[in-house]
């Protein structure tokens, strides 16, 4: 039996005030505990969809339900915030207060948490995200701001977080660190919707959704990724190193079926073959 759905999008259409329809005919669901990657070229509508999923913007037609809550229902706005959080593509849209701790505390206070709980969550999340020494949020680099923005949402501990290209501004080490923190949070039960065009990050997903021109062009499970790799190439994404390795081994007569496309998985399968 599949897990119950946490986000349900039905007949979604969206146009900005200024004009043309940006999203159309979107029907999607995200299950509790799932890790879904949303991939697509610049302007395909990823960030717009992310904001609609989180109830920051509202559909022009159709509806978005998150944990059964219609995102338009203002009376349930607090419950919605406890269910779903979003890390914006631009961290400057996320940071409101100058002091990093005040910024995190404000959002936690809005959830109705007491002072002690707020202090514990700020301390734990700041340590996890490596931002303990950041004080003035406005004076940080974009990559540092991105860490603060992610920390603020993680500290709220919603059931699901939508990450809109969360590692785009980080250095290579930072990208790996933050991506693995998100993967770890997923293992602990967080439902993750992850907008990215980084192939290694796509590999962490259970399901991949490709947006094009404001609608879903392709949608497939991770287990079908190998035979759908051309669809990612269409977007200009690189072929993962793991896939090339499997192809090369195959050309040498060694057939390998991977389960999670990690180096550990590949090593394990080769070791089984040569035993
Ligand atoms: N505030 C806005 N007002 C009007 N149109 C907008 C606005 N924001 C985005 N758009 C338009 O909506 C479309 C989708 O934009 P969106 O930012 O959702 O794309 P994206 O896939 O996230 O792109 P990127 O990869 O560059 O982040 C684009 O055509 C864009 O011009
Ligand atoms: Mg975007």
């Amino acid at each position: 039996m599949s897990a119950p759905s946490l986000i349900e999008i039905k007949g979604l259409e969206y146009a900005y005030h200024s004009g043309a329809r940006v999203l159309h005919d979107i029907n999607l669901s995200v299950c509790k505990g799932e890790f879904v990657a949303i991939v697509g070229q610049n302007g395909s509508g990823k960030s717009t969809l992310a904001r609609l999923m989180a109830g920051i913007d509202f559909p022009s037609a159709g509806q978005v339900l998150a944990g059964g809550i219609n995102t338009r229902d203002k009376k349930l706005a607090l419950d919605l915030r406890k269910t779903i959080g979003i890390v914006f593509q631009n961290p400057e849209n996320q940071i409101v207060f100058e002091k990093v701790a005040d910024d995190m505390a404000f959002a936690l206070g809005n959830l109705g948490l007491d002072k002690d709980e707020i202090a514990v969550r700020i301390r734990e999340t700041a340590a996890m995200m490596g931002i303990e020494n950041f004080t003035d949020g406005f004076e940080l680099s974009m990559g540092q701001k991105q860490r603060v923005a992610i920390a603020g949402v993680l500290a709220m501990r919603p059931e699901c977080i939508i990450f809109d290209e969360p590692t785009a501004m980080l250095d290579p080490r930072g990208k790996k660190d933050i991506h693995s923190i998100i993967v770890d949070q997923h293992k602990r039960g967080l439902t993750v919707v992850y907008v990215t065009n980084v192939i290694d990050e796509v590999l962490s997903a259970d399901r991949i959704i490709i947006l094009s021109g404001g609608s879903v062009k392709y949608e497939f499970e991770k287990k079908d990724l190998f035979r759908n790799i051309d669809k990612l190439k269409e977007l200009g994404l690189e072929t993962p190193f793991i896939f090339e390795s499997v192809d090369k081994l195959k050309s040498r007569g060694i057939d390998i079926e991977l389960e999670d496309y990690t180096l550990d998985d590949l090593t394990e399968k080769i070791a089984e073959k040569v035993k």
Side-chain angles (χ1 to χ4, degrees), residues 16-18 22 40-49 51 89 164-165 195 197 211:
Y16 283 98
H17 293 301
S18 50
V22 169
Q41 281 166 339
N42 293 141
S44 56
K46 304 180 299 296
S47 295
T48 307
L49 178 60
R51 286 198 303 274
Q89 184 166 11
D164 191 353
E165 305 204 37
V195 175
N197 279 324
L211 281 191

